[in-house]
Amino acid sequence: MNVPSRATSATESKTSDGVVAAGVYVDGRRIANIAIEEASSWRGKPGHVVWIGLYEPDLALLKSVQQQFDLHDLAIEDANHAHQRPKIEQYGDGLFIVARTAQLIQGRIAFGETHLFVGEGYLVSVRHGASTSYAAVRERCESCPRALARGEDYILYAILDFIVDNYSPVLDAIHEEVEEIEDYVLAHAITRTQVERLYMLRRDLLRLRNAIGPLVEVCRRLEHDNLPMVRSTMRPLFRDVTDHVRTIQERTDSMREVLAFAFEASLLVGQAQETAVSKKLASWLAIIAVPTALAGIYGMNFKHIPELDWEYGYFMVLGLMLAACSALYWRFRRAGWL
């Protein structure tokens, strides 16, 4: 049920300095792998696009990237501190975008961040925390040069679409567990451990919703605003990403409601079981009360009790006890208490 964590892959492995991949593309085809220090010279050539991927870089590497692409200080500061809310900001002719990533690790949702710098002739992605490698994105784009030739805004679309698509396996795994819990609570009272699991799942889904919600606004701005790095021909693609995000958001809300219903159902089942036990106890107490009362009356230490001298008094009292207990048992049984 767990989705394995995969920060890097065999085709895209993190180097010692935090650089995952750095390449130059012309007409959708990679023509060279470059060092960070060469990026500005390649970016300045007409028709060239520099695509750099970083994973948990240190401040020195970010400063080096900043010098190559003239990135804003505030954007670099945000990229260095990976605790940002999903957002999109424009600095001059460049865009800075923050998106949250998610993976299911040992039954809990682990969150990461991706920071994207987009400008004329370049795209830089910075990943932090739990995040699937973007090697698959790079491979898919390189397999279709005609699409990749659209430029840096197409790479931006491909990465955002990949991030949103990776929410689905997390939700699928949680959905399976939610269905199991839902089926169980309808037949049994859940244990404390299961209650804690319900709470953790609801909390994780709330955090996931908080990570997804602002991404709708990010995609909406990419779709509708006249941003410098987004051509009008790309807007339908960002509209598609927006639809996917909203679908994920609806699924998250739906599962949170199901978990709430499951918790309420478990409480109702528990209360019903407690009520049934209380009814049984009350019924048996009422039945036992009859012989107890009669035995208590005739067990009193008075010298003159009328029935003490009856020849068949003992048998009559036993018969009365049996008749009364049988009548009560029949009555409670018919009422469904026993």
Side-chain angles (χ1 to χ4, degrees), residues 7-25 30 32-37 39 49-57 61 65 69 123-127 133-139 142 155 159:
T8 58
S9 69
T11 58
E12 186 180 17
S13 58
K14 175 186 171 184
T15 61
S16 59
D17 60 355
V19 179
V20 176
V24 180
Y25 296 82
R30 188 192 301 206
N33 294 322
I34 63 172
I36 298 298
E37 294 74 16
V49 176
V50 176
W51 183 359
I52 296 176
L54 308 178
Y55 180 68
E56 296 187 348
L61 178 56
V65 172
F69 302 109
L123 183 140
V124 179
S125 65
V126 181
R127 293 189 292 126
S133 170
Y134 296 153
V137 181
R138 191 180 294 269
E139 291 172 359
E142 290 178 351
I155 300 174
I159 293 177

mmCIF file of all heavy atoms in Angstrom, residues 7-25 30 32-37 39 49-57 61 65 69 123-127 133-139 142 155 159:
data_model
loop_
_atom_site.group_PDB
_atom_site.id
_atom_site.type_symbol
_atom_site.label_atom_id
_atom_site.label_comp_id
_atom_site.label_asym_id
_atom_site.label_seq_id
_atom_site.Cartn_x
_atom_site.Cartn_y
_atom_site.Cartn_z
ATOM 1 N N ALA A 7 13.928 9.525 -4.633
ATOM 2 C CA ALA A 7 14.382 10.893 -4.805
ATOM 3 C C ALA A 7 15.179 11.047 -6.088
ATOM 4 O O ALA A 7 15.116 12.055 -6.764
ATOM 5 C CB ALA A 7 15.223 11.321 -3.611
ATOM 6 N N THR A 8 15.945 10.043 -6.436
ATOM 7 C CA THR A 8 16.730 10.087 -7.661
ATOM 8 C C THR A 8 16.620 8.751 -8.357
ATOM 9 O O THR A 8 16.162 7.767 -7.803
ATOM 10 C CB THR A 8 18.214 10.383 -7.352
ATOM 11 O OG1 THR A 8 18.704 9.375 -6.481
ATOM 12 C CG2 THR A 8 18.378 11.749 -6.712
ATOM 13 N N SER A 9 17.048 8.690 -9.600
ATOM 14 C CA SER A 9 16.969 7.449 -10.360
ATOM 15 C C SER A 9 18.301 7.177 -11.013
ATOM 16 O O SER A 9 19.236 7.965 -10.944
ATOM 17 C CB SER A 9 15.868 7.557 -11.424
ATOM 18 O OG SER A 9 16.254 8.485 -12.414
ATOM 19 N N ALA A 10 18.371 6.017 -11.671
ATOM 20 C CA ALA A 10 19.621 5.624 -12.297
ATOM 21 C C ALA A 10 19.983 6.560 -13.437
ATOM 22 O O ALA A 10 21.152 6.803 -13.720
ATOM 23 C CB ALA A 10 19.513 4.190 -12.812
ATOM 24 N N THR A 11 18.972 7.096 -14.099
ATOM 25 C CA THR A 11 19.245 7.968 -15.233
ATOM 26 C C THR A 11 19.443 9.410 -14.819
ATOM 27 O O THR A 11 19.885 10.218 -15.610
ATOM 28 C CB THR A 11 18.082 7.887 -16.232
ATOM 29 O OG1 THR A 11 16.878 8.264 -15.572
ATOM 30 C CG2 THR A 11 17.953 6.486 -16.793
ATOM 31 N N GLU A 12 19.087 9.735 -13.562
ATOM 32 C CA GLU A 12 19.250 11.108 -13.096
ATOM 33 C C GLU A 12 19.740 11.056 -11.664
ATOM 34 O O GLU A 12 18.970 11.035 -10.716
ATOM 35 C CB GLU A 12 17.923 11.870 -13.175
ATOM 36 C CG GLU A 12 18.077 13.340 -12.842
ATOM 37 C CD GLU A 12 16.760 14.076 -12.926
ATOM 38 O OE1 GLU A 12 15.726 13.429 -12.930
ATOM 39 O OE2 GLU A 12 16.802 15.314 -12.975
ATOM 40 N N SER A 13 21.022 10.957 -11.451
ATOM 41 C CA SER A 13 21.569 10.802 -10.120
ATOM 42 C C SER A 13 22.175 12.105 -9.648
ATOM 43 O O SER A 13 22.799 12.846 -10.391
ATOM 44 C CB SER A 13 22.647 9.700 -10.120
ATOM 45 O OG SER A 13 23.656 10.022 -11.041
ATOM 46 N N LYS A 14 21.990 12.361 -8.378
ATOM 47 C CA LYS A 14 22.481 13.603 -7.796
ATOM 48 C C LYS A 14 23.992 13.558 -7.663
ATOM 49 O O LYS A 14 24.570 12.606 -7.151
ATOM 50 C CB LYS A 14 21.837 13.803 -6.423
ATOM 51 C CG LYS A 14 22.365 15.006 -5.670
ATOM 52 C CD LYS A 14 21.792 15.043 -4.273
ATOM 53 C CE LYS A 14 22.468 16.107 -3.443
ATOM 54 N NZ LYS A 14 22.005 16.117 -2.055
ATOM 55 N N THR A 15 24.655 14.615 -8.118
ATOM 56 C CA THR A 15 26.089 14.712 -7.959
ATOM 57 C C THR A 15 26.404 15.273 -6.586
ATOM 58 O O THR A 15 25.529 15.693 -5.843
ATOM 59 C CB THR A 15 26.680 15.621 -9.052
ATOM 60 O OG1 THR A 15 26.105 16.927 -8.908
ATOM 61 C CG2 THR A 15 26.354 15.087 -10.437
ATOM 62 N N SER A 16 27.680 15.292 -6.257
ATOM 63 C CA SER A 16 28.093 15.689 -4.918
ATOM 64 C C SER A 16 27.761 17.142 -4.609
ATOM 65 O O SER A 16 27.590 17.517 -3.456
ATOM 66 C CB SER A 16 29.598 15.454 -4.760
ATOM 67 O OG SER A 16 30.320 16.198 -5.734
ATOM 68 N N ASP A 17 27.683 17.991 -5.637
ATOM 69 C CA ASP A 17 27.427 19.406 -5.384
ATOM 70 C C ASP A 17 25.955 19.765 -5.504
ATOM 71 O O ASP A 17 25.590 20.943 -5.445
ATOM 72 C CB ASP A 17 28.259 20.271 -6.343
ATOM 73 C CG ASP A 17 27.918 19.982 -7.812
ATOM 74 O OD1 ASP A 17 27.117 19.064 -8.059
ATOM 75 O OD2 ASP A 17 28.456 20.683 -8.682
ATOM 76 N N GLY A 18 25.063 18.791 -5.662
ATOM 77 C CA GLY A 18 23.630 19.048 -5.710
ATOM 78 C C GLY A 18 23.065 19.199 -7.098
ATOM 79 O O GLY A 18 21.857 19.397 -7.248
ATOM 80 N N VAL A 19 23.895 19.127 -8.132
ATOM 81 C CA VAL A 19 23.408 19.243 -9.504
ATOM 82 C C VAL A 19 22.958 17.864 -9.986
ATOM 83 O O VAL A 19 23.744 16.919 -10.009
ATOM 84 C CB VAL A 19 24.490 19.802 -10.448
ATOM 85 C CG1 VAL A 19 23.961 19.888 -11.871
ATOM 86 C CG2 VAL A 19 24.960 21.172 -9.971
ATOM 87 N N VAL A 20 21.701 17.750 -10.372
ATOM 88 C CA VAL A 20 21.175 16.490 -10.887
ATOM 89 C C VAL A 20 21.430 16.384 -12.385
ATOM 90 O O VAL A 20 21.895 15.363 -12.879
ATOM 91 C CB VAL A 20 19.666 16.361 -10.581
ATOM 92 C CG1 VAL A 20 19.101 15.090 -11.201
ATOM 93 C CG2 VAL A 20 19.426 16.368 -9.085
ATOM 94 N N ALA A 21 21.107 17.443 -13.104
ATOM 95 C CA ALA A 21 21.324 17.457 -14.549
ATOM 96 C C ALA A 21 21.388 18.900 -15.010
ATOM 97 O O ALA A 21 20.732 19.783 -14.454
ATOM 98 C CB ALA A 21 20.212 16.709 -15.271
ATOM 99 N N ALA A 22 22.187 19.129 -16.039
ATOM 100 C CA ALA A 22 22.296 20.462 -16.627
ATOM 101 C C ALA A 22 22.590 20.285 -18.111
ATOM 102 O O ALA A 22 23.651 19.764 -18.478
ATOM 103 C CB ALA A 22 23.394 21.275 -15.949
ATOM 104 N N GLY A 23 21.654 20.699 -18.941
ATOM 105 C CA GLY A 23 21.819 20.508 -20.377
ATOM 106 C C GLY A 23 21.311 21.686 -21.180
ATOM 107 O O GLY A 23 20.541 22.516 -20.682
ATOM 108 N N VAL A 24 21.756 21.744 -22.426
ATOM 109 C CA VAL A 24 21.327 22.776 -23.360
ATOM 110 C C VAL A 24 20.546 22.112 -24.488
ATOM 111 O O VAL A 24 20.974 21.075 -25.020
ATOM 112 C CB VAL A 24 22.531 23.549 -23.934
ATOM 113 C CG1 VAL A 24 22.058 24.627 -24.916
ATOM 114 C CG2 VAL A 24 23.354 24.167 -22.826
ATOM 115 N N TYR A 25 19.426 22.746 -24.867
ATOM 116 C CA TYR A 25 18.547 22.174 -25.883
ATOM 117 C C TYR A 25 18.349 23.186 -27.016
ATOM 118 O O TYR A 25 18.166 24.387 -26.773
ATOM 119 C CB TYR A 25 17.194 21.801 -25.286
ATOM 120 C CG TYR A 25 17.284 20.720 -24.244
ATOM 121 C CD1 TYR A 25 17.645 21.029 -22.939
ATOM 122 C CD2 TYR A 25 17.044 19.396 -24.563
ATOM 123 C CE1 TYR A 25 17.751 20.039 -21.972
ATOM 124 C CE2 TYR A 25 17.136 18.399 -23.612
ATOM 125 C CZ TYR A 25 17.500 18.721 -22.317
ATOM 126 O OH TYR A 25 17.608 17.736 -21.367
ATOM 127 N N ARG A 30 18.864 17.764 -26.999
ATOM 128 C CA ARG A 30 19.993 18.123 -26.144
ATOM 129 C C ARG A 30 21.273 18.103 -26.978
ATOM 130 O O ARG A 30 21.598 17.084 -27.604
ATOM 131 C CB ARG A 30 20.128 17.144 -24.984
ATOM 132 C CG ARG A 30 21.172 17.606 -23.969
ATOM 133 C CD ARG A 30 21.534 16.524 -22.964
ATOM 134 N NE ARG A 30 20.366 16.063 -22.205
ATOM 135 C CZ ARG A 30 20.454 15.527 -20.986
ATOM 136 N NH1 ARG A 30 21.632 15.414 -20.400
ATOM 137 N NH2 ARG A 30 19.372 15.094 -20.385
ATOM 138 N N ALA A 32 24.274 19.473 -25.501
ATOM 139 C CA ALA A 32 25.448 19.466 -24.630
ATOM 140 C C ALA A 32 25.019 19.394 -23.174
ATOM 141 O O ALA A 32 23.967 19.927 -22.795
ATOM 142 C CB ALA A 32 26.307 20.714 -24.856
ATOM 143 N N ASN A 33 25.838 18.714 -22.373
ATOM 144 C CA ASN A 33 25.744 18.794 -20.921
ATOM 145 C C ASN A 33 26.745 19.842 -20.459
ATOM 146 O O ASN A 33 27.902 19.853 -20.909
ATOM 147 C CB ASN A 33 26.060 17.448 -20.278
ATOM 148 C CG ASN A 33 25.022 16.402 -20.607
ATOM 149 O OD1 ASN A 33 23.827 16.699 -20.675
ATOM 150 N ND2 ASN A 33 25.457 15.167 -20.821
ATOM 151 N N ILE A 34 26.318 20.737 -19.585
ATOM 152 C CA ILE A 34 27.156 21.873 -19.239
ATOM 153 C C ILE A 34 27.377 21.960 -17.738
ATOM 154 O O ILE A 34 26.661 21.336 -16.943
ATOM 155 C CB ILE A 34 26.513 23.187 -19.732
ATOM 156 C CG1 ILE A 34 25.162 23.412 -19.023
ATOM 157 C CG2 ILE A 34 26.331 23.172 -21.236
ATOM 158 C CD1 ILE A 34 24.540 24.773 -19.293
ATOM 159 N N ALA A 35 28.351 22.742 -17.358
ATOM 160 C CA ALA A 35 28.577 23.107 -15.963
ATOM 161 C C ALA A 35 27.760 24.356 -15.653
ATOM 162 O O ALA A 35 27.390 25.123 -16.556
ATOM 163 C CB ALA A 35 30.056 23.363 -15.718
ATOM 164 N N ILE A 36 27.487 24.569 -14.370
ATOM 165 C CA ILE A 36 26.691 25.721 -13.982
ATOM 166 C C ILE A 36 27.345 27.024 -14.443
ATOM 167 O O ILE A 36 26.675 27.952 -14.895
ATOM 168 C CB ILE A 36 26.482 25.739 -12.461
ATOM 169 C CG1 ILE A 36 25.717 24.485 -12.005
ATOM 170 C CG2 ILE A 36 25.732 26.995 -12.031
ATOM 171 C CD1 ILE A 36 24.336 24.358 -12.586
ATOM 172 N N GLU A 37 28.661 27.065 -14.385
ATOM 173 C CA GLU A 37 29.382 28.289 -14.743
ATOM 174 C C GLU A 37 29.260 28.640 -16.225
ATOM 175 O O GLU A 37 29.572 29.778 -16.628
ATOM 176 C CB GLU A 37 30.855 28.158 -14.364
ATOM 177 C CG GLU A 37 31.129 28.057 -12.866
ATOM 178 C CD GLU A 37 30.753 26.703 -12.282
ATOM 179 O OE1 GLU A 37 30.568 25.756 -13.084
ATOM 180 O OE2 GLU A 37 30.642 26.593 -11.045
ATOM 181 N N ALA A 39 26.350 28.320 -17.926
ATOM 182 C CA ALA A 39 24.932 28.448 -18.270
ATOM 183 C C ALA A 39 24.603 29.771 -18.944
ATOM 184 O O ALA A 39 23.857 29.816 -19.933
ATOM 185 C CB ALA A 39 24.080 28.279 -17.011
ATOM 186 N N VAL A 49 17.904 26.691 -25.035
ATOM 187 C CA VAL A 49 17.220 26.625 -23.738
ATOM 188 C C VAL A 49 18.089 25.805 -22.780
ATOM 189 O O VAL A 49 18.470 24.674 -23.093
ATOM 190 C CB VAL A 49 15.822 25.980 -23.846
ATOM 191 C CG1 VAL A 49 15.188 25.852 -22.466
ATOM 192 C CG2 VAL A 49 14.930 26.788 -24.767
ATOM 193 N N VAL A 50 18.385 26.399 -21.633
ATOM 194 C CA VAL A 50 19.164 25.719 -20.599
ATOM 195 C C VAL A 50 18.201 25.153 -19.564
ATOM 196 O O VAL A 50 17.367 25.885 -19.021
ATOM 197 C CB VAL A 50 20.161 26.688 -19.932
ATOM 198 C CG1 VAL A 50 20.906 25.983 -18.793
ATOM 199 C CG2 VAL A 50 21.148 27.233 -20.957
ATOM 200 N N TRP A 51 18.309 23.856 -19.315
ATOM 201 C CA TRP A 51 17.451 23.180 -18.328
ATOM 202 C C TRP A 51 18.359 22.586 -17.259
ATOM 203 O O TRP A 51 19.146 21.685 -17.530
ATOM 204 C CB TRP A 51 16.629 22.124 -19.026
ATOM 205 C CG TRP A 51 15.647 21.399 -18.129
ATOM 206 C CD1 TRP A 51 15.438 21.564 -16.800
ATOM 207 C CD2 TRP A 51 14.721 20.382 -18.540
ATOM 208 N NE1 TRP A 51 14.458 20.747 -16.345
ATOM 209 C CE2 TRP A 51 14.000 20.005 -17.395
ATOM 210 C CE3 TRP A 51 14.447 19.770 -19.765
ATOM 211 C CZ2 TRP A 51 13.018 19.013 -17.446
ATOM 212 C CZ3 TRP A 51 13.470 18.788 -19.814
ATOM 213 C CH2 TRP A 51 12.751 18.412 -18.666
ATOM 214 N N ILE A 52 18.231 23.105 -16.047
ATOM 215 C CA ILE A 52 19.067 22.669 -14.928
ATOM 216 C C ILE A 52 18.178 22.105 -13.832
ATOM 217 O O ILE A 52 17.156 22.708 -13.469
ATOM 218 C CB ILE A 52 19.910 23.841 -14.372
ATOM 219 C CG1 ILE A 52 20.894 24.333 -15.429
ATOM 220 C CG2 ILE A 52 20.657 23.423 -13.102
ATOM 221 C CD1 ILE A 52 21.694 25.547 -14.998
ATOM 222 N N GLY A 53 18.562 20.947 -13.307
ATOM 223 C CA GLY A 53 17.854 20.337 -12.188
ATOM 224 C C GLY A 53 18.763 20.231 -10.984
ATOM 225 O O GLY A 53 19.872 19.700 -11.069
ATOM 226 N N LEU A 54 18.305 20.732 -9.826
ATOM 227 C CA LEU A 54 19.069 20.695 -8.575
ATOM 228 C C LEU A 54 18.259 19.948 -7.524
ATOM 229 O O LEU A 54 17.022 20.015 -7.504
ATOM 230 C CB LEU A 54 19.373 22.108 -8.076
ATOM 231 C CG LEU A 54 20.033 23.086 -9.064
ATOM 232 C CD1 LEU A 54 20.200 24.450 -8.408
ATOM 233 C CD2 LEU A 54 21.378 22.544 -9.544
ATOM 234 N N TYR A 55 18.980 19.259 -6.647
ATOM 235 C CA TYR A 55 18.325 18.556 -5.539
ATOM 236 C C TYR A 55 19.014 18.933 -4.237
ATOM 237 O O TYR A 55 20.193 18.644 -4.042
ATOM 238 C CB TYR A 55 18.372 17.043 -5.746
ATOM 239 C CG TYR A 55 17.704 16.275 -4.622
ATOM 240 C CD1 TYR A 55 16.325 16.349 -4.444
ATOM 241 C CD2 TYR A 55 18.450 15.499 -3.742
ATOM 242 C CE1 TYR A 55 15.699 15.661 -3.420
ATOM 243 C CE2 TYR A 55 17.828 14.800 -2.718
ATOM 244 C CZ TYR A 55 16.455 14.879 -2.555
ATOM 245 O OH TYR A 55 15.839 14.208 -1.534
ATOM 246 N N GLU A 56 18.258 19.639 -3.378
ATOM 247 C CA GLU A 56 18.752 20.102 -2.079
ATOM 248 C C GLU A 56 20.128 20.763 -2.201
ATOM 249 O O GLU A 56 21.096 20.346 -1.557
ATOM 250 C CB GLU A 56 18.778 18.951 -1.074
ATOM 251 C CG GLU A 56 17.374 18.413 -0.773
ATOM 252 C CD GLU A 56 17.352 17.383 0.348
ATOM 253 O OE1 GLU A 56 18.444 16.922 0.741
ATOM 254 O OE2 GLU A 56 16.251 17.046 0.811
ATOM 255 N N PRO A 57 20.237 21.802 -3.030
ATOM 256 C CA PRO A 57 21.530 22.476 -3.185
ATOM 257 C C PRO A 57 21.855 23.326 -1.966
ATOM 258 O O PRO A 57 20.953 23.759 -1.225
ATOM 259 C CB PRO A 57 21.292 23.361 -4.419
ATOM 260 C CG PRO A 57 19.831 23.664 -4.363
ATOM 261 C CD PRO A 57 19.166 22.431 -3.820
ATOM 262 N N LEU A 61 25.760 26.977 -4.169
ATOM 263 C CA LEU A 61 25.317 26.581 -5.505
ATOM 264 C C LEU A 61 24.184 27.478 -5.985
ATOM 265 O O LEU A 61 24.140 27.883 -7.149
ATOM 266 C CB LEU A 61 24.880 25.119 -5.493
ATOM 267 C CG LEU A 61 24.352 24.550 -6.806
ATOM 268 C CD1 LEU A 61 25.368 24.708 -7.924
ATOM 269 C CD2 LEU A 61 23.970 23.080 -6.636
ATOM 270 N N VAL A 65 24.015 29.833 -9.360
ATOM 271 C CA VAL A 65 22.908 29.849 -10.322
ATOM 272 C C VAL A 65 22.341 31.261 -10.451
ATOM 273 O O VAL A 65 22.001 31.718 -11.550
ATOM 274 C CB VAL A 65 21.819 28.851 -9.895
ATOM 275 C CG1 VAL A 65 20.581 28.987 -10.770
ATOM 276 C CG2 VAL A 65 22.349 27.422 -9.958
ATOM 277 N N PHE A 69 21.872 33.558 -14.062
ATOM 278 C CA PHE A 69 20.583 33.939 -14.640
ATOM 279 C C PHE A 69 20.032 35.233 -14.062
ATOM 280 O O PHE A 69 18.883 35.592 -14.350
ATOM 281 C CB PHE A 69 19.564 32.804 -14.439
ATOM 282 C CG PHE A 69 19.976 31.500 -15.040
ATOM 283 C CD1 PHE A 69 20.355 30.431 -14.236
ATOM 284 C CD2 PHE A 69 20.013 31.337 -16.415
ATOM 285 C CE1 PHE A 69 20.740 29.224 -14.791
ATOM 286 C CE2 PHE A 69 20.397 30.137 -16.979
ATOM 287 C CZ PHE A 69 20.776 29.069 -16.169
ATOM 288 N N LEU A 123 15.306 27.248 -17.584
ATOM 289 C CA LEU A 123 14.445 26.772 -16.502
ATOM 290 C C LEU A 123 15.323 26.045 -15.501
ATOM 291 O O LEU A 123 16.114 25.168 -15.879
ATOM 292 C CB LEU A 123 13.338 25.846 -17.001
ATOM 293 C CG LEU A 123 12.369 25.381 -15.888
ATOM 294 C CD1 LEU A 123 10.928 25.356 -16.397
ATOM 295 C CD2 LEU A 123 12.737 24.011 -15.329
ATOM 296 N N VAL A 124 15.178 26.408 -14.236
ATOM 297 C CA VAL A 124 15.935 25.782 -13.144
ATOM 298 C C VAL A 124 14.933 25.223 -12.153
ATOM 299 O O VAL A 124 14.052 25.945 -11.663
ATOM 300 C CB VAL A 124 16.869 26.788 -12.447
ATOM 301 C CG1 VAL A 124 17.627 26.106 -11.306
ATOM 302 C CG2 VAL A 124 17.846 27.398 -13.445
ATOM 303 N N SER A 125 15.047 23.940 -11.867
ATOM 304 C CA SER A 125 14.193 23.311 -10.857
ATOM 305 C C SER A 125 15.038 22.967 -9.634
ATOM 306 O O SER A 125 16.150 22.450 -9.758
ATOM 307 C CB SER A 125 13.526 22.043 -11.406
ATOM 308 O OG SER A 125 14.484 21.050 -11.703
ATOM 309 N N VAL A 126 14.497 23.276 -8.463
ATOM 310 C CA VAL A 126 15.177 23.010 -7.193
ATOM 311 C C VAL A 126 14.246 22.159 -6.344
ATOM 312 O O VAL A 126 13.159 22.609 -5.963
ATOM 313 C CB VAL A 126 15.530 24.315 -6.457
ATOM 314 C CG1 VAL A 126 16.266 24.005 -5.153
ATOM 315 C CG2 VAL A 126 16.364 25.230 -7.349
ATOM 316 N N ARG A 127 14.655 20.937 -6.049
ATOM 317 C CA ARG A 127 13.826 20.019 -5.268
ATOM 318 C C ARG A 127 14.344 19.907 -3.843
ATOM 319 O O ARG A 127 15.543 19.884 -3.602
ATOM 320 C CB ARG A 127 13.803 18.621 -5.900
ATOM 321 C CG ARG A 127 13.098 18.564 -7.232
ATOM 322 C CD ARG A 127 12.915 17.127 -7.691
ATOM 323 N NE ARG A 127 14.172 16.489 -8.011
ATOM 324 C CZ ARG A 127 14.594 15.344 -7.507
ATOM 325 N NH1 ARG A 127 13.853 14.712 -6.615
ATOM 326 N NH2 ARG A 127 15.738 14.818 -7.869
ATOM 327 N N SER A 133 11.989 11.796 -8.656
ATOM 328 C CA SER A 133 12.941 12.382 -9.603
ATOM 329 C C SER A 133 12.236 12.847 -10.865
ATOM 330 O O SER A 133 11.283 12.230 -11.342
ATOM 331 C CB SER A 133 14.012 11.340 -9.952
ATOM 332 O OG SER A 133 14.804 11.799 -11.027
ATOM 333 N N TYR A 134 12.725 13.950 -11.415
ATOM 334 C CA TYR A 134 12.175 14.468 -12.660
ATOM 335 C C TYR A 134 12.891 13.899 -13.880
ATOM 336 O O TYR A 134 12.748 14.430 -14.994
ATOM 337 C CB TYR A 134 12.265 15.993 -12.680
ATOM 338 C CG TYR A 134 11.418 16.639 -11.600
ATOM 339 C CD1 TYR A 134 11.749 17.885 -11.079
ATOM 340 C CD2 TYR A 134 10.297 15.999 -11.098
ATOM 341 C CE1 TYR A 134 10.981 18.472 -10.086
ATOM 342 C CE2 TYR A 134 9.527 16.562 -10.107
ATOM 343 C CZ TYR A 134 9.867 17.803 -9.602
ATOM 344 O OH TYR A 134 9.100 18.368 -8.617
ATOM 345 N N ALA A 135 13.633 12.820 -13.681
ATOM 346 C CA ALA A 135 14.279 12.155 -14.815
ATOM 347 C C ALA A 135 13.233 11.689 -15.824
ATOM 348 O O ALA A 135 13.441 11.767 -17.037
ATOM 349 C CB ALA A 135 15.109 10.971 -14.329
ATOM 350 N N ALA A 136 12.088 11.217 -15.314
ATOM 351 C CA ALA A 136 11.033 10.752 -16.213
ATOM 352 C C ALA A 136 10.497 11.898 -17.068
ATOM 353 O O ALA A 136 10.177 11.720 -18.243
ATOM 354 C CB ALA A 136 9.903 10.118 -15.405
ATOM 355 N N VAL A 137 10.405 13.088 -16.478
ATOM 356 C CA VAL A 137 9.952 14.257 -17.237
ATOM 357 C C VAL A 137 10.945 14.590 -18.337
ATOM 358 O O VAL A 137 10.584 14.824 -19.489
ATOM 359 C CB VAL A 137 9.764 15.471 -16.302
ATOM 360 C CG1 VAL A 137 9.260 16.675 -17.098
ATOM 361 C CG2 VAL A 137 8.798 15.139 -15.181
ATOM 362 N N ARG A 138 12.223 14.589 -17.969
ATOM 363 C CA ARG A 138 13.261 14.913 -18.941
ATOM 364 C C ARG A 138 13.278 13.885 -20.075
ATOM 365 O O ARG A 138 13.380 14.241 -21.250
ATOM 366 C CB ARG A 138 14.623 14.963 -18.243
ATOM 367 C CG ARG A 138 15.746 15.559 -19.092
ATOM 368 C CD ARG A 138 17.044 15.558 -18.289
ATOM 369 N NE ARG A 138 16.965 16.443 -17.154
ATOM 370 C CZ ARG A 138 17.319 17.728 -17.173
ATOM 371 N NH1 ARG A 138 17.758 18.264 -18.311
ATOM 372 N NH2 ARG A 138 17.241 18.471 -16.098
ATOM 373 N N GLU A 139 13.154 12.614 -19.725
ATOM 374 C CA GLU A 139 13.172 11.569 -20.749
ATOM 375 C C GLU A 139 11.964 11.678 -21.679
ATOM 376 O O GLU A 139 12.089 11.513 -22.896
ATOM 377 C CB GLU A 139 13.199 10.197 -20.074
ATOM 378 C CG GLU A 139 14.518 9.897 -19.358
ATOM 379 C CD GLU A 139 14.429 8.618 -18.540
ATOM 380 O OE1 GLU A 139 13.336 7.997 -18.525
ATOM 381 O OE2 GLU A 139 15.432 8.255 -17.915
ATOM 382 N N GLU A 142 12.477 14.681 -23.933
ATOM 383 C CA GLU A 142 13.515 14.445 -24.944
ATOM 384 C C GLU A 142 13.064 13.440 -25.992
ATOM 385 O O GLU A 142 13.563 13.449 -27.124
ATOM 386 C CB GLU A 142 14.794 13.962 -24.269
ATOM 387 C CG GLU A 142 15.493 15.049 -23.445
ATOM 388 C CD GLU A 142 16.742 14.530 -22.747
ATOM 389 O OE1 GLU A 142 16.957 13.292 -22.772
ATOM 390 O OE2 GLU A 142 17.482 15.341 -22.181
ATOM 391 N N ILE A 155 8.508 23.081 -20.733
ATOM 392 C CA ILE A 155 9.177 22.342 -19.646
ATOM 393 C C ILE A 155 8.475 22.628 -18.323
ATOM 394 O O ILE A 155 8.268 21.719 -17.502
ATOM 395 C CB ILE A 155 10.667 22.728 -19.576
ATOM 396 C CG1 ILE A 155 11.366 22.400 -20.895
ATOM 397 C CG2 ILE A 155 11.355 22.001 -18.423
ATOM 398 C CD1 ILE A 155 12.809 22.874 -20.956
ATOM 399 N N ILE A 159 6.710 19.720 -15.915
ATOM 400 C CA ILE A 159 7.056 19.490 -14.508
ATOM 401 C C ILE A 159 5.828 19.629 -13.619
ATOM 402 O O ILE A 159 5.588 18.786 -12.735
ATOM 403 C CB ILE A 159 8.174 20.447 -14.070
ATOM 404 C CG1 ILE A 159 9.483 20.108 -14.793
ATOM 405 C CG2 ILE A 159 8.386 20.387 -12.554
ATOM 406 C CD1 ILE A 159 10.631 21.046 -14.477
#
